[in-house]
Amino acid sequence: MTHGKARPAREWAAEAVFRPLAERLVPPLARRRVNPLHVVLTHTAVGLLAGGLLRRGHHLTPALLLQAKTVLDNLDGQLARATGQTTETGRYLDSEMDVLANAAVLTGLAGRWGPSLTLLLSLILTTDYLWERDHRGARGEVFRDPPAQAGDDPRLLGLLRRVYAVYFTPQERVLGALFEARLRSAVGGEPTPAHRLAYTPATISWVAVNLGLSTQLLALGVVLALRRPRLYLWSLPAQVLLLAGVQLWREGQVRAQRQPSSSG
């Protein structure tokens, strides 16, 4: 039985490689009542260790550590859903610890360019988040199920919310406003529900999902094993260009959808 999140599209790397491996770990950890938050902290520590080794010039060991980190990153959510331990704290903590590990890894690879590349990666992942949210919203679907468990530590949750507001919320607002403005421009006015459906096909979710973190770390592991880490660093701006191309395509979908009404 799978405990993965329902999504409009599937990330190949997660579905074919990391999620099946993580799923094997769910039953024994559930029997031992392991807290999913501890899994989050563990995979963060593994990512930080990989970043430290990259800074010292290692390649193969960090490559393997990043794959282990990705298995654990796929595990924490599965374990939380399987045991009814999903919490708001866990969602915030997982997102923010991923950024911390990503920053350590990219700084280890690129030195002073690490923070800028971390932000670039965050924008790619935020685009995936927003496109899925809009896809589900246009179809009247639930975007994220509410946490199964209450009782978060209010101080910790408050801190995590503030960190999220500082780092993630500006990205979501800027990109969300940009996508909405582009939709209105393509429509030439106020978008209808039909326009929003045309603007949010499953195709865009498939592209963005397959630039997800599991894919990113698998690709990075491969180029590290080949001792060509710069290939991954250069792939980040290439991914932005790909998403920009998809954005132009989705605008074209809206324009094509409105042609019959404008010609009639």
Side-chain angles (χ1 to χ4, degrees), residues 36 38-48 65 68-76 93-94 97-98 101:
H38 296 165
V39 179
V40 173
L41 296 177
T42 299
H43 70 63
T44 303
V46 173
L48 294 175
L65 286 173
K69 190 263 186 199
T70 309
V71 172
L72 295 175
D73 204 2
N74 278 265
L75 170 63
D76 56 41
L93 186 68
D94 192 28
M97 291 300 98
D98 278 343

Side-chain angles (χ1 to χ4, degrees), residues 129-139 179 200 250:
Y129 172 85
L130 292 174
W131 284 1
E132 180 184 351
R133 184 190 69 183
D134 292 347
H135 175 93
R136 291 192 177 280
R139 290 155 182 78
F179 297 145
T200 58
R250 72 197 291 232

Side-chain angles (χ1 to χ4, degrees), residues 7-227:
R7 304 197 66 182
R10 295 294 187 179
E11 183 180 7
W12 177 86
E15 293 297 322
V17 181
F18 298 110
R19 188 160 292 156
L21 292 173
E23 192 170 321
R24 292 176 176 270
L25 299 175
V26 170
L29 295 182
R31 286 194 295 270
R32 290 169 175 77
R33 302 178 184 274
V34 172
N35 189 327
L37 297 183
H38 296 165
V39 179
V40 173
L41 296 177
T42 299
H43 70 63
T44 303
V46 173
L48 294 175
L49 176 59
L53 291 173
L54 286 169
R55 196 175 186 88
R56 296 167 66 177
H58 295 269
H59 290 86
L60 184 57
T61 301
L64 295 174
L65 286 173
L66 289 175
Q67 308 321 299
K69 190 263 186 199
T70 309
V71 172
L72 295 175
D73 204 2
N74 278 265
L75 170 63
D76 56 41
Q78 289 194 57
L79 180 62
R81 285 184 288 274
T83 57
Q85 296 184 77
T86 56
T87 62
E88 193 176 358
T89 294
R91 291 178 178 178
Y92 281 118
L93 186 68
D94 192 28
S95 297
E96 293 165 21
M97 291 300 98
D98 278 343
V99 172
L100 182 61
N102 293 342
V105 168
L106 291 172
T107 301
L109 281 174
R112 63 190 179 91
W113 292 103
S116 298
L117 291 172
T118 302
L119 179 58
L120 194 60
L121 176 57
S122 289
L123 291 172
I124 292 167
L125 299 175
T126 297
T127 297
D128 174 25
Y129 172 85
L130 292 174
W131 284 1
E132 180 184 351
R133 184 190 69 183
D134 292 347
H135 175 93
R136 291 192 177 280
R139 290 155 182 78
E141 299 173 0
V142 175
F143 176 48
R144 291 284 189 267
D145 292 326
Q149 190 178 86
D152 298 271
D153 183 309
R155 290 174 296 181
L156 175 58
L157 181 56
L159 174 62
L160 294 174
R161 283 174 172 167
R162 288 192 290 273
V163 172
Y164 193 96
V166 169
Y167 186 78
F168 286 103
T169 301
Q171 298 177 43
E172 294 172 9
R173 287 179 176 170
V174 170
L175 288 176
L178 173 63
F179 297 145
E180 183 67 17
R182 298 292 299 185
L183 171 60
R184 292 175 183 273
S185 176
V187 170
E190 186 66 27
T192 66
H195 290 136
R196 294 193 180 279
L197 285 172
Y199 194 54
T200 58
T203 308
I204 65 163
S205 292
W206 185 89
V207 174
V209 161
N210 280 283
L211 298 178
L213 193 54
S214 292
T215 303
Q216 301 285 346
L217 296 184
L218 177 60
L220 178 53
V222 170
V223 298
L224 283 173
L226 297 173
R227 304 182 71 85

